[in-house]
Amino acid sequence: MTKNIYALLVGIDNYHPDSIPQVPPLKGCINDIKAVEDYLRERIVKDSEWQLVEPEDQPWILLDSDATRQAIIDGFQQHLCNADSDDVVLFYYSGHGAQEKAPEEFWELEADRLNETLVCYDSRTESGRDLADKELAYLISKVGRNNPRVIIFLDCCHSG
């Protein structure tokens, strides 16, 4: 039986030019994602038991301007949520991480009263915002409903 790998790879070196304040660029995030993609493709070729699921209607690799908040959410909901109990889900994020004030409802969970966040390409634009850890946990829980093996890599500040 073929086993599927559902991957969502996100790498951001350069953030939206209209970000306020400007988000400093990073070096190596896109290279990280390309290395992970190469590894997955090489591993798949070596082990015929596995198949990398590459949807035609939904990008599974989001680099720089493609890595908007909505695109990441859509990647979870429209791609990763299709995995079932025989599959593996891989979410890999390489970019800036940050913190934001937690709403009062979460203060008992957050001793420092801060949420950890992923800084998406458009997070710091006028209408943008980060992807908070609570939102990420919700998206992961939706993926987990069909019991796949879930692997998450967060290569960013405040990822702990």
Short mmCIF file of all heavy atoms in Angstrom, two decimals, residues 69 122-130:
data_model
loop_
_atom_site.label_atom_id
_atom_site.label_comp_id
_atom_site.label_asym_id
_atom_site.label_seq_id
_atom_site.Cartn_x
_atom_site.Cartn_y
_atom_site.Cartn_z
N ARG A 69 -0.61 35.12 4.92
CA ARG A 69 -1.34 34.49 6.02
C ARG A 69 -2.43 33.58 5.47
O ARG A 69 -2.57 32.44 5.89
CB ARG A 69 -1.92 35.58 6.92
CG ARG A 69 -2.63 35.06 8.15
CD ARG A 69 -3.12 36.25 8.99
NE ARG A 69 -3.50 35.82 10.31
CZ ARG A 69 -4.65 35.20 10.59
NH1 ARG A 69 -5.53 34.95 9.63
NH2 ARG A 69 -4.92 34.82 11.82
N ASP A 122 2.70 39.02 4.52
CA ASP A 122 1.87 40.22 4.59
C ASP A 122 1.42 40.59 6.00
O ASP A 122 0.56 41.46 6.18
CB ASP A 122 0.64 40.04 3.69
CG ASP A 122 -0.21 38.84 4.09
OD1 ASP A 122 0.27 37.95 4.84
OD2 ASP A 122 -1.38 38.77 3.63
N SER A 123 2.03 39.99 7.01
CA SER A 123 1.59 40.20 8.39
C SER A 123 1.63 41.66 8.84
O SER A 123 0.78 42.09 9.61
CB SER A 123 2.46 39.40 9.37
OG SER A 123 2.13 38.04 9.34
N ARG A 124 2.62 42.38 8.40
CA ARG A 124 2.82 43.73 8.92
C ARG A 124 2.33 44.82 7.98
O ARG A 124 2.68 45.98 8.13
CB ARG A 124 4.30 43.93 9.26
CG ARG A 124 4.85 42.88 10.24
CD ARG A 124 4.13 42.92 11.58
NE ARG A 124 4.32 41.75 12.41
CZ ARG A 124 5.32 41.56 13.23
NH1 ARG A 124 6.30 42.42 13.32
NH2 ARG A 124 5.37 40.47 13.98
N THR A 125 1.49 44.43 7.02
CA THR A 125 0.85 45.44 6.17
C THR A 125 -0.36 46.00 6.92
O THR A 125 -0.75 45.48 7.97
CB THR A 125 0.41 44.82 4.82
OG1 THR A 125 -0.50 43.77 5.07
CG2 THR A 125 1.61 44.31 4.03
N GLU A 126 -0.96 47.03 6.35
CA GLU A 126 -2.06 47.72 7.03
C GLU A 126 -3.18 46.79 7.47
O GLU A 126 -3.71 46.90 8.56
CB GLU A 126 -2.61 48.82 6.13
CG GLU A 126 -3.64 49.69 6.81
CD GLU A 126 -4.10 50.83 5.93
OE1 GLU A 126 -3.37 51.22 5.01
OE2 GLU A 126 -5.22 51.32 6.17
N SER A 127 -3.55 45.84 6.62
CA SER A 127 -4.66 44.94 6.95
C SER A 127 -4.19 43.55 7.39
O SER A 127 -5.01 42.66 7.61
CB SER A 127 -5.61 44.81 5.75
OG SER A 127 -4.90 44.27 4.65
N GLY A 128 -2.88 43.36 7.54
CA GLY A 128 -2.35 42.04 7.86
C GLY A 128 -2.18 41.81 9.35
O GLY A 128 -2.30 42.72 10.17
N ARG A 129 -1.92 40.55 9.68
CA ARG A 129 -1.57 40.18 11.07
C ARG A 129 -0.85 38.85 11.05
O ARG A 129 -0.94 38.08 10.09
CB ARG A 129 -2.79 40.16 11.98
CG ARG A 129 -3.87 39.19 11.64
CD ARG A 129 -5.10 39.44 12.53
NE ARG A 129 -6.16 38.52 12.22
CZ ARG A 129 -6.38 37.36 12.84
NH1 ARG A 129 -5.61 37.00 13.84
NH2 ARG A 129 -7.37 36.58 12.48
N ASP A 130 -0.11 38.60 12.12
CA ASP A 130 0.64 37.36 12.26
C ASP A 130 -0.32 36.18 12.42
O ASP A 130 -1.51 36.35 12.71
CB ASP A 130 1.55 37.42 13.49
CG ASP A 130 2.68 38.43 13.36
OD1 ASP A 130 2.78 39.11 12.33
OD2 ASP A 130 3.48 38.52 14.31
#
